[in-house]
Amino acid sequence: MEQRTLLALMVFSSLIVLAETIDQKPAIEIYSFHVDCKVTSRFAHTVVTSRIINRANESREATFEVELPKTAFITNFSMSIDGEVYPGIIKEKAAAQNEYDTAVSQGQSAGLVKIADRKLEQFQVSVSIAAASKVTFELTYEELLKRQLGKYELLLKVRPKQLVKHFQIDVHIFEPQGIQFLETDSTFMTNELIEALTEVLNETKAHISFKPTLDQQKKNSMLGETLLNGDFVVRYDVKREATAGDIQIVNGYFVHYFAPQEMPVFPKNVIFVIDRSGSMTGRKIEQTRDALLKILQDLRPEDRFSFITFNNKVAEWKSSLLPATEENVASAAALVQTLSARGGTDINRALLTAVGMLDKAEGLLERSISMIILLTDGQPTSGERNVEVIQESVQKAINGKYALFCLGFGFDVSYKFLEKMALSNGGIARRIYENADAALQLQGFYQEVATPILMQIEMQYPENSIERLTKNNFKVFFEGSEIIVSGKISNELDLLPVEIKAQSHTSNLTLKEEANVKEKEQVFQNQRYIFGNFIERLWAYLSIQQLLEKAISAQEEDQKALEAQALDLSLQYSFVTPLTSMVVTKPQQKEELANKPTEAAPFKRSRSRMTSEDVSGSHRLRSGTPASRRSSEIQTRGNRRMFSTVSRFRDAIGAQPVAYEHPQLLLQLPRQNERICLNIDKRSQTSVQLLSDPEQGLTVTGKLGDGVNHFVQFDINYENPPVQIHVYTHAILVSHNNKNDWLSWTKSASSTIQGLRVSVEKERSVTASLPDTVTIKISLVKFPDDFLGLYFLNTDRFSDQVTGALGQFYSKAQLESNSNNDQRAVERLLRAVSGSEHKISRLYKKDYRLESAGEPVSCWSIDLTP
């Protein structure tokens, strides 16, 4: 089966097909769309909910679309129409098809799921709803995020095709190992939409929220077209300390993650077998040339390589493999630039020639890895044409000595043939889609297999205590990927031992680790990110994937047994897999089937084209960068266990429960993963000079309230353009050239003056943004007393001349580390750029930057007397 990397999470589309004039509000209106994704230890559980109303005076058809990752399994679907719930039922595919054939109306389509593009498949269902009626669609799917090139990727497809009043994406991530980095990418993000993105990050948890208002969604204030059309991607990686990986345990099931780093790379002996038959003419051969020229530059000096090109004839570039010297790479590049396409396709002889070249090769290093990479776009049309004979002859020739990777270009190729041939010979198959970025797809695949660092990996566990073990032997491990093994602990164990044996480039390795079962299970107690027995479901997901993959290259009798096991698990855990179908019952007892397509049998396909903008025109938002908001929580460690909630932290340090309040001011120390809570001594003065930066032409002052120990007014002064913004708890005043404009908190609005944009989000916040200048955001907090909370984005734009009660901490302020390096310390020293020193204490406060108070966050608290 095709292994796609994505952690992918991909989602979205909820639309309605109607015939209406452009300027009318849609009769079928999506008034709410919510994507709620919880990623716990790489396993993602996503719920997509769309609420639609028919505002017409007659029945209309509403269509619900969701594009989800190909690697995901749908687990649940339901429609609710006027209080009546119509669930989806998962059944064995053959039984579901018989039921459908009996009950369905004549001529009704049987396909609810089809392949959308190389990463996604599309779920779509339509239903007729009466005038003024509402329908709620809810789809749930799960996937295990695959690590590729050093990161996990969750992909969501955003395509509502209309403005949505309540639109929200929430991604919650919990990784007990700790989050190494986090970034959010989008192909549709604008400066206005960035303001709707919130990122909260601590050591083990992250919450990404995207909640644009109607105004922010609009392409143009005068038109009803939406900006939301493209990919919303979250990428991250985890921290790794133990050499033997990390083991996690919940309710008797364990998962073991192993991803070693910074190990010497095996030299490669690689032969590229390139199809130059007539069907490769034009764009395909051009993209193949472009990709190969880049791949040649990525070869390491210790690698050996060669080229074989073929149509109805087979041509060897050289009679043997050559070292990847600068001279040889240049000679190969000259060959690649002359590649042209004509003739038939003799796949069999081309592959046997490659195997023969490796068999005869001399001077290859003993500890090196040999591989053949085949690229073709068609069926065998010359020489041996029987695909079963080709598969058998190639497998016999390779005989387990080398790995074969098969890349199928486009949809004219027999992907099933390539997939079986690759899996039978220790490799994988991949379809290359005929898009503008096909060359990048080819390069990306090569990068995945370019750095082998381990081979012959065996993951060993106590045989008498573990059952239902997933695959635990692996031929090669490539840097940036990850090995995952899962199983059930059958006997009560205090310690779960693991032993890993493998070969590196320089030596044979044996790595050992013991996991304390009770300690490991404690990590996941009382975590709101957890969904059910997620490790058991992860085990079932992984088992099904591996059984189906094994069945592809198995003999017929073994294939049936493997598929029967996969079917049982699919039904037991309610997964829509290639062996099951979801029967969706609609009003009037009409039924439709949701079948999972495979790359070898893609059902309906839409050949979407990507523009150059799809490839390179995205805005990247990294954690800790100006475009995102985040906060950090202290994490304490003890007995090799992480305490990740406030109550457990209090238990660890012996503190008593306290009432949490908002600080007067919050700031994130630049380039430091620490949050500061600032409180001004109100007795000194009510008006405070908070920040002044002459290079930015910016001054901010604040006024503390009478009887309220918080700020109730902020005054922002810009020099260019000369604008003053006065923010009160009851309204906002914008002054420019003796002209005053009042903005109300009761509705969303915006105003732009010479590039300075002031935007109000109804009863939540006001934002002032100017190109190349720090962005200022002020939250309105209404309980228990009305007050204002100030914070800044793009803080790297502050100059070294920034001053003020708040500004002094944005320029080279330094939080001194504890002398004993105790992460549980509750007091430290903060040195400002002015040289002043402040004793600070660890406290828990509410975060006024967040829409809801939620769990309190930890920060270093300072009391200042200006």
Side-chain angles (χ1 to χ4, degrees):
M1 294 181 66
E2 179 182 8
Q3 298 293 316
R4 298 305 295 172
T5 273
L6 294 168
L7 230 243
L9 200 184
M10 304 302 6
V11 100
F12 189 162
S13 304
S14 225
L15 165 86
I16 349 293
V17 180
L18 290 151
E20 297 187 305
T21 58
I22 294 175
D23 58 344
Q24 283 182 321
K25 192 173 184 179
I28 295 289
E29 179 188 350
I30 308 168
Y31 64 90
S32 174
F33 192 94
H34 187 205
V35 180
D36 184 24
C37 180
K38 292 179 171 61
V39 183
T40 304
S41 191
R42 288 74 144 176
F43 196 57
H45 174 92
T46 302
V47 181
V48 183
T49 306
S50 180
R51 293 182 169 86
I52 295 173
I53 185 170
N54 180 7
R55 297 196 182 279
N57 56 7
E58 61 185 1
S59 295
R60 293 291 180 95
E61 188 172 77
T63 300
F64 172 66
E65 286 181 15
V66 171
E67 292 180 56
L68 60 150
K70 290 179 180 177
T71 52
F73 290 156
I74 292 172
T75 65
N76 193 31
F77 171 75
S78 67
M79 293 183 294
S80 178
I81 305 173
D82 292 333
E84 185 77 23
V85 178
Y86 300 88
I89 308 298
I90 296 175
K91 298 184 177 183
E92 181 184 359
K93 181 171 285 187
Q97 188 66 50
N98 289 338
E99 183 176 320
Y100 174 80
D101 291 341
T102 302
V104 76
S105 301
Q106 196 170 22
Q108 193 172 3
S109 170
L112 295 182
V113 186
K114 63 182 179 181
I115 285 182
D117 63 20
R118 68 177 183 271
K119 296 179 180 180
L120 302 171
E121 60 195 29
Q122 182 188 78
F123 175 90
Q124 176 179 301
V125 64
S126 299
V127 64
S128 179
I129 55 175
S133 290
K134 295 179 180 180
V135 57
T136 297
F137 297 102
E138 184 173 283
L139 180 75
T140 303
Y141 63 89
E142 294 176 343
E143 62 175 320
L144 179 60
L145 300 183
K146 182 181 178 183
R147 188 170 185 255
Q148 189 174 32
L149 301 177
K151 62 187 71 173
Y152 306 97
E153 181 173 294
L154 179 69
L155 171 62
L156 300 172
K157 176 64 73 174
V158 178
R159 191 180 293 155
K161 301 180 185 177
Q162 64 172 254
L163 300 174
V164 180
K165 184 176 182 181
H166 302 290
F167 180 94
Q168 187 164 354
I169 295 175
D170 285 297
V171 179
H172 294 270
I173 300 172
F174 175 47
E175 290 289 351
Q177 289 175 257
I179 298 172
Q180 180 70 35
F181 79 90
L182 180 77
E183 67 182 31
T184 303
D185 263 10
S186 169
T187 58
F188 56 83
M189 200 65 71
T190 64
N191 288 335
E192 287 75 20
L193 287 173
I194 285 174
E195 296 172 4
L197 183 69
T198 303
E199 184 179 300
V200 180
L201 174 68
N202 66 30
E203 187 172 349
T204 60
K205 297 178 188 175
H207 177 207
I208 298 98
S209 177
F210 180 60
K211 192 176 180 180
T213 63
L214 281 172
D215 285 342
Q216 289 171 326
Q217 294 175 42
K218 289 180 181 178
K219 273 188 179 179
N220 185 303
S221 60
M222 303 300 293
L223 299 175
E225 297 179 15
T226 179
L227 287 164
L228 305 184
N229 184 6
D231 295 344
F232 186 88
V233 186
V234 177
R235 299 185 184 93
Y236 73 95
D237 198 15
V238 301
K239 297 177 181 178
R240 291 176 174 83
E241 296 177 358
T243 55
D246 185 70
I247 296 174
Q248 297 169 18
I249 303 170
V250 171
N251 294 336
Y253 281 83
F254 79 91
V255 60
H256 182 190
Y257 298 105
F258 179 56
Q261 303 176 97
E262 299 178 358
M263 301 189 73
V265 177
F266 278 100
K268 297 187 302 297
N269 313 305
V270 57
I271 299 179
F272 299 95
V273 182
I274 306 301
D275 184 347
R276 55 182 174 88
S277 61
S279 57
M280 288 284 289
T281 301
R283 194 183 192 194
K284 289 181 185 175
I285 200 71
E286 291 172 6
Q287 291 175 320
T288 299
R289 284 197 297 260
D290 291 344
L292 290 175
L293 290 172
K294 295 281 184 10
I295 288 171
L296 283 169
Q297 300 303 316
D298 290 337
L299 289 170
R300 296 169 179 267
E302 61 270 23
D303 292 339
R304 288 176 173 263
F305 75 106
S306 191
F307 278 96
I308 292 175
T309 61
F310 71 97
N311 45 27
N312 53 304
K313 297 180 179 179
V314 176
E316 300 177 57
W317 169 55
K318 302 290 182 183
S319 59
S320 62
L321 283 87
L322 299 183
T325 63
E326 189 173 331
E327 182 181 357
N328 289 335
V329 168
S331 175
L335 166 78
V336 167
Q337 288 172 331
T338 66
L339 284 179
S340 59
R342 65 179 66 86
T345 310
D346 192 347
I347 294 175
N348 185 59
R349 193 150 62 95
L351 287 176
L352 293 181
T353 301
V355 175
M357 185 181 291
L358 282 170
D359 285 342
K360 294 183 295 183
E362 297 178 353
L364 301 185
L365 294 175
E366 181 180 351
R367 285 186 182 259
S368 61
I369 290 177
S370 299
M371 62 179 70
I372 299 167
I373 298 178
L374 167 69
L375 172 64
T376 182
D377 77 329
Q379 309 275 358
T381 60
S382 297
E384 181 58 64
R385 303 183 188 186
N386 186 311
V387 294
E388 292 182 356
V389 173
I390 296 173
Q391 288 166 343
E392 187 176 338
S393 65
V394 170
Q395 186 173 359
K396 183 178 179 180
I398 290 179
N399 195 27
K401 295 174 290 186
Y402 320 122
L404 172 62
F405 298 95
C406 297
L407 305 180
F409 209 140
F411 279 91
D412 296 325
V413 72
S414 173
Y415 188 83
K416 189 174 182 180
F417 157 59
L418 295 181
E419 186 176 39
K420 181 172 182 177
M421 193 159 56
L423 292 173
S424 299
N425 294 285
I428 60 172
R430 180 75 52 81
R431 189 188 299 279
I432 303 300
Y433 281 69
E434 296 180 56
N435 294 330
D437 71 335
L440 293 176
Q441 294 177 55
L442 290 166
Q443 293 169 49
F445 171 80
Y446 177 74
Q447 288 172 355
E448 291 177 50
V449 300
T451 52
I453 58 175
L454 288 179
M455 59 188 297
Q456 306 303 330
I457 306 108
E458 296 181 24
M459 315 278 283
Q460 299 177 354
Y461 309 87
E463 292 183 9
N464 59 346
S465 301
I466 301 297
E467 60 185 33
R468 304 182 185 179
L469 193 65
T470 60
K471 180 180 177 180
N472 65 326
N473 289 280
F474 305 87
K475 287 189 175 181
V476 183
F477 175 80
F478 297 101
E479 188 175 49
S481 63
E482 184 172 56
I483 287 174
I484 304 175
V485 180
S486 186
K488 188 177 190 302
I489 302 173
S490 55
N491 297 329
E492 286 200 14
L493 293 176
D494 292 329
L495 296 174
L496 174 60
V498 58
E499 182 173 290
I500 302 173
K501 293 185 176 181
Q503 295 178 18
S504 75
H505 176 42
T506 56
S507 63
N508 293 335
L509 300 177
T510 299
L511 306 172
K512 296 183 179 181
E513 186 75 27
E514 284 187 336
N516 186 304
V517 174
K518 289 184 179 179
E519 274 190 12
K520 290 291 183 180
E521 289 205 327
Q522 188 66 31
V523 171
F524 292 97
Q525 298 300 315
N526 303 319
Q527 293 289 346
R528 63 186 178 91
Y529 288 46
I530 306 307
F531 46 95
N533 296 329
F534 83 94
I535 290 186
E536 182 178 351
R537 293 191 65 79
L538 182 158
W539 165 83
Y541 174 99
L542 189 60
S543 297
I544 293 168
Q545 292 275 32
Q546 292 177 356
L547 287 166
L548 292 174
E549 183 177 292
K550 195 173 180 182
I552 291 170
S553 57
Q555 298 298 318
E556 186 176 355
E557 192 171 319
D558 292 336
Q559 185 181 64
K560 289 180 179 178
L562 292 166
E563 289 180 348
Q565 294 178 53
L567 174 61
D568 286 345
L569 288 174
S570 300
L571 294 172
Q572 182 181 348
Y573 290 92
S574 296
F575 287 132
V576 177
T577 70
L579 303 174
T580 56
S581 293
M582 177 180 284
V583 180
V584 176
T585 304
K586 300 160 77 170
Q588 289 82 49
Q589 301 302 308
K590 292 181 180 179
E591 293 183 347
E592 290 191 82
L593 293 186
N595 296 318
K596 184 171 182 62
T598 64
E599 200 62 67
F603 291 86
K604 301 175 185 176
R605 65 179 185 265
S606 57
R607 300 193 186 190
S608 58
R609 300 286 181 185
M610 289 183 70
T611 65
S612 58
E613 186 177 353
D614 292 323
V615 178
S616 61
S618 62
H619 294 251
R620 176 161 295 175
L621 310 174
R622 292 183 179 272
S623 64
T625 62
S628 62
R629 292 185 278 162
R630 76 176 190 181
S631 57
S632 313
E633 289 183 21
I634 189 170
Q635 300 291 310
T636 65
R637 302 176 184 268
N639 301 322
R640 302 182 65 187
R641 178 172 64 190
M642 261 189 216
F643 297 86
S644 55
T645 64
V646 173
S647 59
R648 286 161 68 187
F649 176 81
R650 285 200 306 265
D651 293 341
I653 63 174
Q656 298 299 314
V658 296
Y660 302 107
E661 59 181 19
H662 289 94
Q664 290 176 352
L665 298 166
L666 269 169
L667 69 101
Q668 193 83 24
L669 283 183
R671 297 172 294 280
Q672 299 180 56
N673 189 26
E674 297 288 357
R675 185 191 299 102
I676 302 297
C677 293
L678 213 62
N679 290 292
I680 307 293
D681 186 350
K682 186 181 174 183
R683 292 170 297 181
S684 60
Q685 57 193 83
T686 57
S687 185
V688 183
Q689 173 91 357
L690 295 173
L691 183 142
S692 178
D693 190 337
E695 285 194 16
Q696 291 270 295
L698 177 66
T699 303
V700 181
T701 59
K703 182 178 180 181
L704 292 161
D706 295 327
V708 179
N709 194 28
H710 287 95
F711 286 92
V712 294
Q713 178 181 336
F714 289 111
D715 299 308
I716 307 165
N717 185 73
Y718 288 92
E719 292 182 7
N720 187 22
V723 176
Q724 298 78 43
I725 305 170
H726 307 281
V727 182
Y728 308 94
T729 55
H730 61 278
I732 301 102
L733 174 63
V734 181
S735 300
H736 173 62
N737 290 342
N738 298 318
K739 181 183 176 182
N740 293 331
D741 288 325
W742 285 94
L743 300 175
S744 172
W745 283 111
T746 59
K747 63 179 181 180
S748 295
S750 64
S751 173
T752 303
I753 302 171
Q754 297 179 23
L756 172 62
R757 180 179 173 84
V758 181
S759 56
V760 179
E761 185 175 359
K762 180 181 175 181
E763 296 183 343
R764 283 190 58 187
S765 64
V766 58
T767 305
S769 56
L770 183 66
D772 302 319
T773 305
V774 173
T775 297
I776 303 171
K777 198 148 188 171
I778 296 171
S779 293
L780 174 65
V781 183
K782 299 189 72 69
F783 301 103
D785 298 297
D786 290 4
F787 71 90
L788 302 171
L790 170 74
Y791 56 103
F792 297 93
L793 307 176
N794 314 83
T795 56
D796 58 329
R797 294 175 179 172
F798 279 124
S799 73
D800 290 342
Q801 299 179 46
V802 62
T803 58
L806 192 58
Q808 63 179 317
F809 300 110
Y810 279 113
S811 177
K812 300 179 183 178
Q814 187 61 46
L815 187 63
E816 299 296 324
S817 58
N818 342 312
S819 58
N820 59 0
N821 203 27
D822 183 3
Q823 296 298 312
R824 292 177 294 175
V826 294
E827 287 192 355
R828 292 174 73 177
L829 196 65
L830 179 65
R831 183 173 288 110
V833 68
S834 62
S836 61
E837 294 183 347
H838 306 272
K839 190 173 289 187
I840 57 178
S841 303
R842 172 71 73 185
L843 294 177
Y844 279 86
K845 301 281 188 178
K846 292 179 181 178
D847 191 337
Y848 55 65
R849 298 174 298 178
L850 305 180
E851 184 176 0
S852 59
E855 215 174 79
V857 298
S858 68
C859 64
W860 293 105
S861 184
I862 313 174
D863 292 322
L864 283 182
T865 303

